[in-house]
Coordinates of all heavy atoms in Angstrom, one line a residue:
M1 N 27.6 -27.1 -4.0 CA 26.5 -27.9 -4.5 C 25.3 -27.7 -3.6 O 24.2 -27.8 -4.1 CB 26.9 -29.4 -4.4 CG 26.0 -30.3 -5.0 SD 26.1 -30.2 -6.7 CE 25.3 -31.7 -7.2
R2 N 25.5 -27.4 -2.4 CA 24.3 -27.2 -1.5 C 23.5 -26.0 -1.9 O 22.2 -26.0 -1.8 CB 24.8 -27.0 -0.1 CG 23.6 -27.0 0.9 CD 24.1 -27.1 2.3 NE 23.0 -27.1 3.1 CZ 23.0 -27.3 4.4 NH1 24.1 -27.5 5.0 NH2 21.9 -27.3 5.1
S3 N 24.1 -24.9 -2.3 CA 23.3 -23.7 -2.7 C 22.5 -23.9 -4.0 O 21.5 -23.3 -4.1 CB 24.3 -22.5 -2.9 OG 25.1 -22.7 -4.0
R4 N 23.0 -24.8 -4.8 CA 22.2 -25.1 -6.0 C 20.9 -25.9 -5.7 O 19.9 -25.7 -6.3 CB 23.1 -25.9 -7.0 CG 22.3 -26.1 -8.3 CD 22.9 -26.9 -9.4 NE 24.2 -27.4 -9.2 CZ 25.0 -27.8 -10.2 NH1 24.5 -27.8 -11.4 NH2 26.2 -28.3 -10.0
D5 N 21.0 -26.8 -4.7 CA 19.8 -27.5 -4.3 C 18.8 -26.6 -3.7 O 17.6 -26.7 -3.9 CB 20.2 -28.6 -3.2 CG 21.1 -29.7 -3.8 OD1 21.1 -29.9 -5.0 OD2 21.7 -30.4 -3.0
G6 N 19.2 -25.6 -3.0 CA 18.3 -24.6 -2.4 C 17.7 -23.7 -3.5 O 16.5 -23.4 -3.4
S7 N 18.5 -23.4 -4.5 CA 17.9 -22.6 -5.5 C 16.9 -23.3 -6.4 O 15.9 -22.7 -6.9 CB 19.0 -22.0 -6.4 OG 19.7 -23.0 -7.1
I8 N 17.1 -24.6 -6.6 CA 16.2 -25.4 -7.3 C 14.8 -25.5 -6.5 O 13.8 -25.4 -7.1 CB 16.7 -26.8 -7.6 CG1 17.9 -26.7 -8.6 CG2 15.7 -27.8 -8.2 CD1 18.6 -28.0 -8.8
L9 N 14.9 -25.7 -5.2 CA 13.8 -25.8 -4.4 C 13.0 -24.4 -4.4 O 11.8 -24.3 -4.5 CB 14.1 -26.2 -3.0 CG 13.0 -26.2 -2.0 CD1 12.0 -27.3 -2.4 CD2 13.5 -26.5 -0.6
Y10 N 13.8 -23.3 -4.3 CA 13.2 -22.0 -4.4 C 12.5 -21.8 -5.7 O 11.4 -21.3 -5.7 CB 14.4 -21.0 -4.2 CG 13.9 -19.6 -4.0 CD1 13.6 -19.1 -2.7 CD2 13.7 -18.7 -5.0 CE1 13.1 -17.9 -2.4 CE2 13.3 -17.4 -4.7 CZ 13.0 -17.0 -3.5 OH 12.5 -15.7 -3.2
L11 N 13.0 -22.2 -6.8 CA 12.4 -22.0 -8.1 C 11.1 -22.9 -8.2 O 10.1 -22.4 -8.7 CB 13.4 -22.4 -9.2 CG 12.8 -22.4 -10.6 CD1 12.4 -21.0 -11.0 CD2 13.8 -23.0 -11.6
A12 N 11.2 -24.1 -7.7 CA 10.1 -25.1 -7.8 C 8.9 -24.5 -6.9 O 7.8 -24.6 -7.4 CB 10.5 -26.4 -7.3
L13 N 9.2 -24.0 -5.7 CA 8.1 -23.5 -4.9 C 7.5 -22.2 -5.5 O 6.3 -21.9 -5.4 CB 8.6 -23.2 -3.5 CG 8.8 -24.5 -2.7 CD1 9.4 -24.1 -1.3 CD2 7.5 -25.2 -2.5
G14 N 8.4 -21.4 -6.2 CA 7.9 -20.2 -6.9 C 7.0 -20.6 -8.1 O 5.9 -20.0 -8.3
L15 N 7.3 -21.6 -8.8 CA 6.5 -22.1 -9.9 C 5.2 -22.7 -9.4 O 4.1 -22.5 -10.0 CB 7.2 -23.1 -10.7 CG 8.4 -22.6 -11.5 CD1 9.1 -23.7 -12.2 CD2 7.9 -21.5 -12.5
Y16 N 5.3 -23.3 -8.2 CA 4.0 -23.9 -7.6 C 3.1 -22.7 -7.2 O 1.9 -22.9 -7.4 CB 4.5 -24.7 -6.4 CG 3.3 -25.4 -5.7 CD1 2.7 -26.4 -6.3 CD2 2.9 -25.1 -4.4 CE1 1.7 -27.1 -5.7 CE2 1.9 -25.7 -3.8 CZ 1.3 -26.7 -4.4 OH 0.2 -27.4 -3.8
S17 N 3.6 -21.6 -6.7 CA 2.8 -20.5 -6.3 C 2.1 -19.9 -7.6 O 1.0 -19.5 -7.5 CB 3.6 -19.5 -5.6 OG 4.5 -18.8 -6.4
I18 N 2.8 -19.9 -8.7 CA 2.2 -19.5 -10.0 C 1.0 -20.4 -10.4 O 0.0 -19.9 -10.8 CB 3.3 -19.5 -11.1 CG1 4.3 -18.3 -10.9 CG2 2.6 -19.3 -12.5 CD1 5.4 -18.3 -11.9
L19 N 1.2 -21.7 -10.2 CA 0.1 -22.6 -10.6 C -1.1 -22.4 -9.7 O -2.2 -22.3 -10.2 CB 0.6 -24.0 -10.4 CG 1.7 -24.5 -11.3 CD1 2.1 -26.0 -11.0 CD2 1.2 -24.5 -12.8
I20 N -0.9 -22.2 -8.4 CA -2.0 -21.9 -7.5 C -2.6 -20.6 -7.8 O -3.9 -20.5 -7.8 CB -1.5 -21.9 -6.0 CG1 -1.0 -23.3 -5.7 CG2 -2.6 -21.5 -5.1 CD1 -0.3 -23.4 -4.4
S21 N -1.9 -19.6 -8.0 CA -2.4 -18.3 -8.3 C -3.3 -18.3 -9.6 O -4.4 -17.7 -9.6 CB -1.3 -17.2 -8.5 OG -1.8 -16.0 -8.9
W22 N -2.8 -18.9 -10.6 CA -3.6 -19.0 -11.9 C -4.8 -19.8 -11.7 O -5.9 -19.5 -12.3 CB -2.7 -19.5 -13.0 CG -3.4 -19.5 -14.3 CD1 -4.0 -20.5 -15.0 CD2 -3.6 -18.3 -15.1 NE1 -4.6 -20.0 -16.1 CE2 -4.4 -18.7 -16.2 CE3 -3.3 -16.9 -15.0 CZ2 -4.7 -17.8 -17.2 CZ3 -3.7 -16.1 -15.9 CH2 -4.4 -16.5 -17.1
Y23 N -4.8 -20.9 -10.9 CA -5.9 -21.7 -10.7 C -7.1 -20.9 -10.0 O -8.2 -21.1 -10.4 CB -5.5 -22.9 -9.8 CG -6.6 -23.9 -9.6 CD1 -6.8 -24.9 -10.5 CD2 -7.4 -23.9 -8.4 CE1 -7.8 -25.9 -10.3 CE2 -8.4 -24.9 -8.3 CZ -8.6 -25.8 -9.2 OH -9.6 -26.8 -9.0
Y24 N -6.8 -20.1 -9.1 CA -7.8 -19.4 -8.4 C -8.1 -18.0 -9.0 O -9.2 -17.5 -8.9 CB -7.4 -19.2 -6.9 CG -7.5 -20.4 -6.1 CD1 -6.4 -21.0 -5.5 CD2 -8.8 -21.1 -5.9 CE1 -6.5 -22.2 -4.8 CE2 -8.9 -22.2 -5.2 CZ -7.8 -22.8 -4.7 OH -7.9 -23.9 -3.9
N25 N -7.2 -17.3 -9.6 CA -7.4 -15.9 -10.1 C -7.5 -15.7 -11.6 O -8.2 -14.8 -12.0 CB -6.3 -15.1 -9.5 CG -6.2 -15.1 -8.0 OD1 -7.2 -15.0 -7.4 ND2 -5.0 -15.3 -7.5
H26 N -6.8 -16.4 -12.4 CA -6.7 -16.2 -13.8 C -6.3 -14.8 -14.2 O -7.0 -14.2 -15.1 CB -8.0 -16.6 -14.5 CG -8.4 -18.1 -14.4 ND1 -7.7 -19.0 -15.1 CD2 -9.3 -18.7 -13.6 CE1 -8.2 -20.2 -14.8 NE2 -9.1 -20.0 -13.9
S27 N -5.3 -14.3 -13.6 CA -4.8 -12.9 -13.8 C -3.3 -12.9 -14.0 O -2.6 -13.4 -13.1 CB -5.3 -12.0 -12.7 OG -4.6 -10.7 -12.8
F28 N -2.8 -12.4 -15.1 CA -1.4 -12.3 -15.3 C -0.7 -11.4 -14.3 O 0.4 -11.6 -13.8 CB -1.1 -11.8 -16.7 CG -1.3 -12.9 -17.7 CD1 -2.3 -12.6 -18.7 CD2 -0.6 -14.1 -17.8 CE1 -2.6 -13.6 -19.6 CE2 -0.9 -15.0 -18.7 CZ -1.9 -14.8 -19.7
L29 N -1.4 -10.3 -14.0 CA -0.8 -9.3 -13.0 C -0.7 -10.0 -11.6 O 0.4 -9.8 -11.0 CB -1.7 -8.1 -12.9 CG -1.2 -7.0 -11.9 CD1 0.1 -6.5 -12.3 CD2 -2.2 -5.9 -11.8
L30 N -1.7 -10.7 -11.2 CA -1.6 -11.4 -9.9 C -0.5 -12.5 -9.9 O 0.1 -12.8 -8.9 CB -2.9 -11.9 -9.5 CG -3.9 -10.9 -8.9 CD1 -5.3 -11.5 -8.6 CD2 -3.3 -10.2 -7.7
V31 N -0.4 -13.2 -11.0 CA 0.6 -14.2 -11.1 C 2.0 -13.6 -10.9 O 2.9 -14.2 -10.2 CB 0.6 -14.9 -12.5 CG1 1.8 -15.7 -12.8 CG2 -0.6 -15.8 -12.6
I32 N 2.3 -12.5 -11.5 CA 3.6 -11.8 -11.3 C 3.8 -11.4 -9.9 O 4.8 -11.6 -9.3 CB 3.7 -10.6 -12.3 CG1 3.7 -11.1 -13.7 CG2 4.9 -9.8 -12.0 CD1 3.5 -10.0 -14.8
V33 N 2.8 -10.8 -9.3 CA 2.9 -10.3 -7.9 C 3.1 -11.5 -7.0 O 3.9 -11.5 -6.0 CB 1.6 -9.5 -7.5 CG1 1.6 -9.3 -6.0 CG2 1.6 -8.2 -8.3
H34 N 2.3 -12.6 -7.2 CA 2.4 -13.8 -6.3 C 3.8 -14.5 -6.5 O 4.2 -15.1 -5.6 CB 1.3 -14.7 -6.6 CG -0.1 -14.2 -6.1 ND1 -1.3 -14.6 -6.6 CD2 -0.4 -13.3 -5.1 CE1 -2.2 -13.9 -6.1 NE2 -1.7 -13.1 -5.1
Y35 N 4.3 -14.4 -7.7 CA 5.7 -15.0 -7.9 C 6.7 -14.2 -7.1 O 7.7 -14.8 -6.6 CB 6.0 -15.1 -9.3 CG 7.4 -15.7 -9.6 CD1 7.6 -17.1 -9.3 CD2 8.5 -15.0 -10.0 CE1 8.8 -17.7 -9.5 CE2 9.7 -15.5 -10.1 CZ 9.9 -16.9 -9.9 OH 11.1 -17.4 -10.0
I36 N 6.6 -12.9 -7.1 CA 7.6 -12.0 -6.4 C 7.5 -12.3 -4.9 O 8.5 -12.4 -4.3 CB 7.3 -10.6 -6.8 CG1 7.7 -10.3 -8.2 CG2 8.2 -9.7 -5.9 CD1 7.2 -8.9 -8.7
F37 N 6.3 -12.4 -4.4 CA 6.1 -12.6 -2.9 C 5.6 -14.0 -2.6 O 4.7 -14.2 -1.8 CB 5.1 -11.6 -2.4 CG 5.5 -10.1 -2.6 CD1 4.9 -9.4 -3.6 CD2 6.5 -9.6 -1.9 CE1 5.2 -8.0 -3.8 CE2 7.0 -8.3 -2.1 CZ 6.3 -7.5 -3.1
W38 N 6.1 -15.0 -3.3 CA 5.6 -16.4 -3.2 C 5.7 -17.0 -1.8 O 4.8 -17.7 -1.4 CB 6.2 -17.3 -4.2 CG 7.6 -17.7 -4.0 CD1 8.7 -17.2 -4.6 CD2 8.1 -18.7 -3.1 NE1 9.8 -17.8 -4.1 CE2 9.5 -18.7 -3.2 CE3 7.5 -19.6 -2.2 CZ2 10.3 -19.6 -2.5 CZ3 8.3 -20.5 -1.5 CH2 9.7 -20.5 -1.6
P39 N 6.7 -16.7 -0.9 CA 6.7 -17.3 0.4 C 5.5 -16.8 1.2 O 4.8 -17.6 1.9 CB 8.0 -16.9 1.1 CG 8.9 -16.5 -0.1 CD 8.0 -16.0 -1.2
I40 N 5.2 -15.5 1.1 CA 4.0 -14.9 1.9 C 2.7 -15.5 1.3 O 1.8 -15.8 2.0 CB 4.1 -13.4 1.8 CG1 5.3 -12.9 2.5 CG2 2.8 -12.8 2.4 CD1 5.6 -11.4 2.2
Y41 N 2.7 -15.6 -0.1 CA 1.5 -16.1 -0.7 C 1.2 -17.5 -0.4 O 0.0 -17.9 -0.1 CB 1.6 -15.9 -2.2 CG 0.4 -16.4 -3.0 CD1 -0.8 -15.8 -2.9 CD2 0.5 -17.5 -3.8 CE1 -1.9 -16.2 -3.6 CE2 -0.6 -17.9 -4.5 CZ -1.8 -17.3 -4.4 OH -2.9 -17.8 -5.1
L42 N 2.2 -18.4 -0.3 CA 1.9 -19.8 0.0 C 1.5 -19.9 1.4 O 0.6 -20.7 1.7 CB 3.2 -20.6 -0.3 CG 3.5 -20.9 -1.7 CD1 4.7 -21.8 -1.9 CD2 2.3 -21.6 -2.4
I43 N 2.1 -19.2 2.4 CA 1.6 -19.2 3.7 C 0.2 -18.8 3.9 O -0.6 -19.4 4.6 CB 2.6 -18.4 4.6 CG1 3.9 -19.1 4.7 CG2 2.0 -18.2 6.1 CD1 5.0 -18.3 5.4
Y44 N -0.2 -17.7 3.2 CA -1.5 -17.2 3.1 C -2.5 -18.3 2.6 O -3.6 -18.5 3.2 CB -1.6 -15.9 2.3 CG -3.0 -15.5 2.0 CD1 -3.7 -14.8 3.0 CD2 -3.6 -15.6 0.8 CE1 -5.0 -14.3 2.8 CE2 -4.9 -15.2 0.5 CZ -5.6 -14.6 1.5 OH -6.9 -14.1 1.3
E45 N -2.2 -18.9 1.5 CA -3.0 -19.9 1.0 C -3.2 -21.1 1.9 O -4.3 -21.7 2.0 CB -2.5 -20.4 -0.4 CG -2.6 -19.4 -1.5 CD -4.0 -19.1 -1.9 OE1 -4.9 -20.0 -1.9 OE2 -4.3 -17.9 -2.2
L46 N -2.1 -21.5 2.6 CA -2.2 -22.5 3.6 C -3.2 -22.1 4.8 O -4.0 -22.9 5.3 CB -0.9 -22.9 4.2 CG 0.0 -23.7 3.3 CD1 1.4 -23.8 3.8 CD2 -0.6 -25.1 3.1
L47 N -3.0 -20.9 5.2 CA -3.8 -20.5 6.4 C -5.3 -20.3 6.1 O -6.1 -20.6 6.9 CB -3.2 -19.1 6.9 CG -1.9 -19.2 7.6 CD1 -1.4 -17.8 8.0 CD2 -1.9 -20.1 8.8
I48 N -5.6 -19.9 4.9 CA -7.1 -19.7 4.6 C -7.7 -21.0 4.1 O -8.9 -21.0 4.0 CB -7.3 -18.6 3.5 CG1 -6.7 -18.9 2.2 CG2 -6.8 -17.3 4.1 CD1 -7.1 -17.9 1.1
G49 N -6.9 -22.0 3.8 CA -7.5 -23.3 3.5 C -7.6 -23.7 2.0 O -8.3 -24.6 1.7
H50 N -7.1 -22.9 1.2 CA -7.2 -23.2 -0.3 C -6.4 -24.4 -0.6 O -6.6 -25.0 -1.7 CB -6.7 -22.0 -1.1 CG -7.7 -21.0 -1.4 ND1 -7.5 -19.8 -1.9 CD2 -9.1 -20.9 -1.1 CE1 -8.6 -19.1 -2.0 NE2 -9.5 -19.8 -1.5
L51 N -5.5 -24.9 0.2 CA -4.6 -26.0 -0.2 C -5.0 -27.3 0.7 O -4.3 -28.3 0.6 CB -3.2 -25.7 0.0 CG -2.6 -24.6 -0.9 CD1 -1.2 -24.3 -0.6 CD2 -2.8 -24.9 -2.3
S52 N -6.1 -27.2 1.4 CA -6.6 -28.3 2.2 C -7.4 -29.3 1.3 O -7.7 -29.0 0.2 CB -7.4 -27.8 3.4 OG -8.6 -27.2 2.9
H53 N -7.7 -30.4 1.8 CA -8.5 -31.4 1.2 C -7.9 -31.9 -0.2 O -8.5 -31.9 -1.2 CB -10.0 -31.0 0.9 CG -10.6 -30.6 2.2 ND1 -11.0 -31.5 3.2 CD2 -11.1 -29.4 2.6 CE1 -11.6 -30.9 4.2 NE2 -11.6 -29.6 3.9
D54 N -6.6 -32.1 -0.2 CA -5.8 -32.5 -1.3 C -5.7 -31.5 -2.5 O -5.3 -31.9 -3.6 CB -6.3 -33.9 -1.9 CG -5.8 -35.0 -1.0 OD1 -4.8 -34.9 -0.3 OD2 -6.4 -36.1 -1.2
M55 N -6.1 -30.3 -2.3 CA -6.0 -29.3 -3.3 C -4.5 -29.0 -3.6 O -4.2 -28.6 -4.8 CB -6.7 -28.0 -3.0 CG -8.2 -28.1 -3.0 SD -8.9 -28.7 -4.6 CE -8.6 -27.3 -5.6
W56 N -3.6 -29.2 -2.7 CA -2.2 -29.0 -3.0 C -1.7 -29.9 -4.0 O -0.8 -29.6 -4.7 CB -1.4 -29.1 -1.7 CG -1.5 -30.5 -1.1 CD1 -2.4 -31.0 -0.2 CD2 -0.6 -31.6 -1.4 NE1 -2.1 -32.3 0.0 CE2 -1.0 -32.7 -0.7 CE3 0.5 -31.7 -2.3 CZ2 -0.4 -34.0 -0.8 CZ3 1.1 -33.0 -2.3 CH2 0.7 -34.1 -1.6
R57 N -2.4 -31.1 -4.2 CA -2.0 -32.1 -5.2 C -2.9 -32.0 -6.4 O -2.4 -32.2 -7.5 CB -2.2 -33.5 -4.6 CG -1.7 -34.6 -5.4 CD -1.9 -35.9 -4.8 NE -3.2 -36.2 -4.2 CZ -4.3 -36.6 -4.8 NH1 -4.2 -36.9 -6.1 NH2 -5.4 -36.8 -4.2
I58 N -4.1 -31.6 -6.3 CA -5.1 -31.6 -7.4 C -4.8 -30.4 -8.3 O -4.9 -30.5 -9.6 CB -6.5 -31.5 -6.9 CG1 -6.9 -32.8 -6.2 CG2 -7.5 -31.2 -8.0 CD1 -8.2 -32.7 -5.4
I59 N -4.4 -29.2 -7.8 CA -4.1 -28.1 -8.6 C -3.0 -28.3 -9.6 O -3.2 -28.1 -10.8 CB -3.8 -26.8 -7.7 CG1 -5.1 -26.4 -7.0 CG2 -3.3 -25.7 -8.6 CD1 -4.8 -25.3 -5.9
P60 N -1.8 -28.8 -9.2 CA -0.8 -29.1 -10.3 C -1.2 -30.2 -11.3 O -0.9 -30.1 -12.4 CB 0.5 -29.5 -9.5 CG 0.3 -29.0 -8.1 CD -1.2 -29.0 -7.9
E61 N -1.9 -31.2 -10.8 CA -2.3 -32.2 -11.7 C -3.3 -31.7 -12.7 O -3.4 -32.3 -13.8 CB -3.0 -33.4 -10.9 CG -2.0 -34.2 -10.1 CD -2.7 -35.3 -9.3 OE1 -4.0 -35.3 -9.3 OE2 -2.0 -36.1 -8.7
S62 N -4.1 -30.7 -12.4 CA -5.1 -30.2 -13.3 C -4.4 -29.6 -14.6 O -5.1 -29.5 -15.6 CB -6.0 -29.2 -12.6 OG -5.3 -28.0 -12.4
Y63 N -3.2 -29.1 -14.5 CA -2.5 -28.5 -15.6 C -1.9 -29.6 -16.6 O -1.6 -29.3 -17.7 CB -1.4 -27.6 -15.2 CG -1.9 -26.4 -14.5 CD1 -1.8 -26.3 -13.1 CD2 -2.4 -25.3 -15.2 CE1 -2.3 -25.1 -12.5 CE2 -2.9 -24.2 -14.6 CZ -2.8 -24.1 -13.2 OH -3.3 -23.0 -12.6
F64 N -1.8 -30.8 -16.1 CA -1.2 -31.9 -16.9 C -2.1 -32.9 -17.4 O -1.7 -34.0 -17.8 CB 0.0 -32.5 -16.2 CG 1.0 -31.5 -15.8 CD1 1.2 -31.0 -14.5 CD2 1.9 -30.9 -16.8 CE1 2.1 -30.1 -14.2 CE2 2.8 -29.9 -16.5 CZ 3.0 -29.5 -15.2
K65 N -3.4 -32.7 -17.3 CA -4.4 -33.7 -17.7 C -4.9 -33.4 -19.1 O -4.9 -32.3 -19.6 CB -5.6 -33.7 -16.8 CG -5.3 -34.4 -15.5 CD -6.5 -34.6 -14.6 CE -6.1 -35.3 -13.4 NZ -7.3 -35.5 -12.5

């Protein structure tokens, strides 16, 4: 059961990286690349500040409004 919880979290964070990538780039090719390397991409986005000032919350909400 524990490995399934990890895989769900892995999938959710991968989908989150797709949302962030599409929000900033609007490119299918970059979405695929960022999904493949999503741990590196999310760390990069955190370090450069794209997810600061509540953008980590605003970006996913923008798709469901």
